[in-house]
Amino acid sequence: MIVVATADFELYHGVVTELRERGVEFTTVEPGDELPERTHVLIVGDGDDVPDKEIEIVRADPTEPRRAVESALSSLRDGGRTIVGVDPGDRPGIAVLSGDVVVAAFHVPLADAAGVITDEIADAADPIVRVGDGARLTGASVIDELDVPVELVDETGTTPSLGTGARGMGDVLAAVNIARRSGEQVRERTVEPTVGELDVIKARSREQSATNREIDETLARRVAAGELTIQEALAEHRGQ
């Protein structure tokens, strides 16, 4: 059982809310009170005293209650390697697994993907990131921003068939399947954009331009390489 014992109200509220949302069995006690016999993990704040017992102690930050809950759940599951699966695209699906258990999932803009992944693996002992090989340019931009072991995974067949009410979940579910499939370890991914990929970038620049302006091929290549966003490329194009 997870037990929460803290005098920090902000921490208490954040951790209890996270535990309830996940449907986790837990209880709360006042700091210093006797702990239930089934206590396996105790979540406390930095200023709270802890008992002299052989139990797992999680020191929680009130600004990051989810991280504390993840640490507590990991202890209950006897750990498991942290694996992050990424289904690349303009809004990558990201799934974080502890062993075989999905502990977090995200669907974020491409510019935020590397930051989300870095935050999720910050406290992991031996994390690995597995990126699908389908969307070459966006996948390469994620890989190049990461400073952890990365595997490039064949994502064939990872996107499931979606039933009624599951619209928008495909990228995240594909990320889960990618996380569970081993691949080839890479340090970076150099991709030469095709004519078609450059045309797509130029078309998107026209769509995002208030004056229907289209960037040239040189700027489109820089966007493809992750050096510029489309908005930054449009700004440079206006200044030329």
Side-chain angles (χ1 to χ4, degrees), residues 60-93:
D61 183 334
T63 65
E64 295 187 302
R66 188 172 67 82
R67 190 176 295 278
V69 170
E70 292 295 353
S71 180
L73 291 174
S74 179
S75 178
L76 288 179
R77 292 190 293 262
D78 293 325
R81 188 179 193 186
T82 298
I83 303 173
V84 180
V86 183
D87 183 32
D90 291 335
R91 289 183 60 85

Side-chain angles (χ1 to χ4, degrees), residues 121-234:
I121 63 177
D123 298 328
D126 184 29
I128 188 165
V129 180
R130 291 172 172 162
V131 180
D133 64 354
R136 306 180 318 136
L137 298 179
T138 55
S141 70
V142 172
I143 291 170
D144 290 346
E145 290 189 58
L146 296 173
D147 189 24
V148 293
V150 176
E151 290 182 359
L152 188 63
V153 173
D154 178 3
E155 64 176 56
T156 304
T158 55
T159 301
S161 173
L162 298 179
T164 303
R167 183 178 180 182
M169 297 175 60
D171 295 337
V172 172
L173 293 174
V176 173
N177 290 330
I178 287 168
R180 289 174 169 158
R181 182 179 293 184
S182 60
E184 177 186 357
Q185 189 157 335
V186 295
R187 291 187 178 273
E188 60 182 13
R189 191 180 191 196
T190 302
V191 176
E192 179 65 23
T194 65
V195 172
E197 288 167 336
L198 292 174
D199 286 343
V200 168
I201 292 172
K202 289 191 283 186
R204 286 178 180 168
S205 73
R206 190 170 60 251
E207 293 169 359
Q208 295 183 29
S209 171
T211 57
N212 203 36
R213 185 187 297 269
E214 181 178 284
I215 61 176
D216 58 28
E217 182 171 322
T218 299
L219 288 171
R221 286 184 178 277
R222 294 179 65 189
V223 172
E227 297 175 11
L228 297 173
T229 65
I230 288 180
Q231 286 300 319
E232 289 169 342
L234 282 167

